[in-house]
Amino acid sequence: MTQRTGTAALARRAVTGATAMLAATALLTGCTGKDGGSASPSPSPDPKADLLAAVPDEKDPAFLFSGTDANGTVTGSVDPASKGMELNVTEKDAEAGFTMKMSFRFVDQQSWVKVDFGGAEELHTLLKLPKNWMELDKAKLTDSEAVPGYEGADPGNAGPIIAAATAVEKQADGTYTGTADLTGQEAVEALDGIDVAALGDAAKTVPFTAVVGPDGNLASLTLDIPAAGKQKALKYVVKYHDFGKAPAITAPEGAKAAPASAYEMFNG
């Protein structure tokens, strides 16, 4: 049901690397509902099981999501019926004077990317990157996992995080609180990009808050990760919403094969 590699994290890593390369280029060239009803008000004997049941799965209709950690925010949509997903990542480079938005679309194992340079449209010409969707050939990527394809209906990896919970309670206001032991392999992989090992013993009791919407779907999960070493305290936040209201995800019309410059951007 969930992907343990962290699609959103991998996409963000790809766009961060691409931004660094593009920034250097710009400077050098002088460019500037699980049951369809309401959640039961009766107390549950197993709130952890309730949370796990609320995590999006392949039976859910299309929905929107966002994920936030120390590196920024990823937004997008998921369409389990078509095994489709779209991710949008934005990186701002104040020194070079542009903001790059990179969008990824996955339908099963097919992948497309679209790049938009806010404030530096000339980079499309300079870098020979079209403005429309480009289909990627994973065989041409140095790290094929950087653009992984559809990996499940839980892009924020809420499932393995909740599965690592050692204590869960449902509060009077309907929210769920608890602690999670993030030292297990599945939790570590789910939090790709966060140095769990640096947390030491604190990683065994990381507090979280979760909200299940009236439709029975997980609406949000927030992990309060403490500071450790050079890593500052941060909130890892996953939000799922608009179940059944998001558009279906299909292969983009008019997409062209990605040019060599696109692979140079990813492969660095």
Side-chain angles (χ1 to χ4, degrees), residues 227-252:
K230 296 181 180 180
Q231 182 173 270
K232 297 180 180 179
L234 63 95
K235 289 185 181 293
Y236 181 92
V237 183
V238 178
K239 294 183 178 180
Y240 297 135
H241 56 98
D242 288 337
F243 286 81
K245 299 178 182 178
I249 297 177
T250 59

Side-chain angles (χ1 to χ4, degrees), residues 87-99:
L87 299 174
N88 303 299
V89 189
T90 301
E91 291 285 339
K92 183 178 293 184
D93 192 295
E95 186 177 5
F98 68 86
T99 298

Side-chain angles (χ1 to χ4, degrees), residues 1 4 16 29 37 53 68 89 94 99 107 134 137-138 144 181 183-184 190 218 227 229 244 255 258 264 267:
M1 180 178 64
R4 300 172 186 171
T16 299
T29 56
T68 303
V89 189
T99 298
V107 176
M134 299 172 279
D137 179 354
K138 291 184 182 180
S144 61
D181 182 349
T183 59
L218 181 69
E264 291 172 5
N267 295 333

Side-chain angles (χ1 to χ4, degrees), residues 53-111:
V55 174
D57 59 29
E58 302 307 313
K59 296 179 182 178
D60 278 309
F63 61 92
L64 304 180
F65 75 89
S66 66
T68 303
D69 62 16
N71 296 313
T73 299
V74 175
T75 62
S77 58
V78 179
D79 180 11
S82 67
K83 294 186 178 181
M85 179 182 296
E86 187 164 317
L87 299 174
N88 303 299
V89 189
T90 301
E91 291 285 339
K92 183 178 293 184
D93 192 295
E95 186 177 5
F98 68 86
T99 298
M100 181 174 70
K101 177 181 179 181
M102 188 173 287
S103 298
F104 297 88
R105 187 177 295 186
F106 310 119
V107 176
D108 201 355
Q109 295 308 303
Q110 287 183 283
S111 305

Side-chain angles (χ1 to χ4, degrees), residues 180-195:
D181 182 349
L182 304 181
T183 59
Q185 184 176 354
E186 290 190 4
V188 170
E189 291 178 353
L191 294 169
D192 181 62
I194 295 175
D195 189 355

